Amino acid sequence: MNRRYININNKILEIVVGDITDQPDIEAIVNSANKDLKPGGGVSGAIHRKAGPELYEYAKSLAPIKVSQAVITPAFRLPNKYVIHTLGPVYGLDKPEDKLLQQTYMNCIRLADEYKVKSLAFPSISTGIFGYPIELAAPLAVESIIQGLKETNLSMVRIVLYTFEDYSVYEGVVAQKDRALPS
Ligand code: AR6
């Protein structure tokens, strides 16, 4: 199994194994960016490669961004309408990292909602180059997204995990939340 969802007030939180740049049924994808919104590596390298050079041309006028801030651009050659660029906390450097990570997710969801986006896909923010241990980041990500779904008009949020190992960490968190939900 590499896909699972839970129902939050008739809205969906879904986790999948995949590539954030290959989510054609989703209106907006989130870029785990650097403060200058440059292509970089990891998720942001993949997003800029697929979107084309127009993305950086457009995004650079919005930089620099602060930790947990979110900004929105068109998605250019990606199969989505928008890219929401955000800056997650660097583990061990930006404090308090748990609050900052939660705010990062919330600011993306609120910005998506302002743009009337109904479906949004996140990568696992800060758990690559920024070094946030995924076991600590996953529950914060899932809790923030559940809160965001409750507070906004979004109807679905997908978390796209790059590896089965990362997916199984999130799967454990989602399974626990599912058991705690009223049936
Ligand atoms: N689709 C989905 N997930 C991915 C993909 C992909 N194509 N590629 C990597 N991941 P990272 P960060 C996973 O490093 O830690 C960048 O250079 C990856 O396995 O992209 O927030 C920026 O420019 C990991 O679990 O983001 C910043 O400088 C997760 O996505 C900095 O890295 C996040 O990995 C941001 O670091």
Side-chain angles (χ1 to χ4, degrees), residues 134-168:
I134 195 158
E135 291 75 12
L136 302 179
L140 297 168
V142 169
E143 274 158 33
S144 308
I145 292 169
I146 290 175
Q147 191 189 334
L149 279 170
K150 287 180 179 165
E151 279 181 19
T152 64
N153 290 311
L154 268 77
S155 52
M156 86 96 85
V157 174
R158 177 180 295 159
I159 311 175
V160 181
L161 287 325
Y162 209 39
T163 65
F164 285 101
E165 290 72 22
D166 289 354
Y167 175 83
S168 39

Side-chain angles (χ1 to χ4, degrees), residues 31-32 34 38-46 49 129:
N31 178 15
S32 194
N34 49 71
K38 286 188 172 154
V43 166
S44 73
R49 259 194 312 279
I129 292 163

Side-chain angles (χ1 to χ4, degrees), residues 18-23 31-35 37-47 49 86-90 122-132 134 160-163 166:
D19 185 328
I20 190 75
T21 68
D22 188 21
Q23 306 298 322
N31 178 15
S32 194
N34 49 71
K35 72 171 179 19
L37 304 179
K38 286 188 172 154
V43 166
S44 73
I47 285 179
R49 259 194 312 279
T86 193
L87 180 63
V90 176
F122 281 100
S124 177
I125 294 172
S126 287
T127 63
I129 292 163
F130 283 177
Y132 212 119
I134 195 158
V160 181
L161 287 325
Y162 209 39
T163 65
D166 289 354

Side-chain angles (χ1 to χ4, degrees), residues 6-166:
I6 53 174
N7 185 316
I8 313 287
N9 298 352
N10 292 323
K11 294 153 170 221
I12 300 295
L13 165 56
E14 185 180 49
I15 54 170
V16 299
V17 178
D19 185 328
I20 190 75
T21 68
D22 188 21
Q23 306 298 322
D25 59 328
I26 294 284
E27 279 177 76
I29 62 168
V30 174
N31 178 15
S32 194
N34 49 71
K35 72 171 179 19
D36 298 317
L37 304 179
K38 286 188 172 154
V43 166
S44 73
I47 285 179
H48 279 271
R49 259 194 312 279
K50 211 147 170 187
E54 299 95 327
L55 180 58
Y56 180 56
E57 278 308 306
Y58 188 106
K60 67 184 180 192
S61 63
L62 305 172
I65 60 168
K66 296 193 172 72
V67 180
S68 91
Q69 194 184 342
V71 294
I72 191 163
T73 69
F76 297 100
R77 295 178 215 175
L78 284 158
N80 315 98
K81 190 166 180 193
Y82 301 113
V83 178
I84 292 180
H85 308 257
T86 193
L87 180 63
V90 176
Y91 192 71
L93 190 71
D94 297 313
K95 306 265 181 191
E97 50 249 296
D98 54 349
K99 296 279 177 306
L100 289 170
L101 189 63
Q102 287 176 308
Q103 280 164 19
T104 301
Y105 280 95
M106 286 306 295
N107 289 338
C108 292
I109 292 170
R110 288 185 184 132
L111 183 58
D113 194 41
E114 274 174 40
Y115 278 75
K116 312 241 177 295
V117 165
K118 298 288 178 225
S119 57
L120 178 66
F122 281 100
S124 177
I125 294 172
S126 287
T127 63
I129 292 163
F130 283 177
Y132 212 119
I134 195 158
E135 291 75 12
L136 302 179
L140 297 168
V142 169
E143 274 158 33
S144 308
I145 292 169
I146 290 175
Q147 191 189 334
L149 279 170
K150 287 180 179 165
E151 279 181 19
T152 64
N153 290 311
L154 268 77
S155 52
M156 86 96 85
V157 174
R158 177 180 295 159
I159 311 175
V160 181
L161 287 325
Y162 209 39
T163 65
F164 285 101
E165 290 72 22
D166 289 354

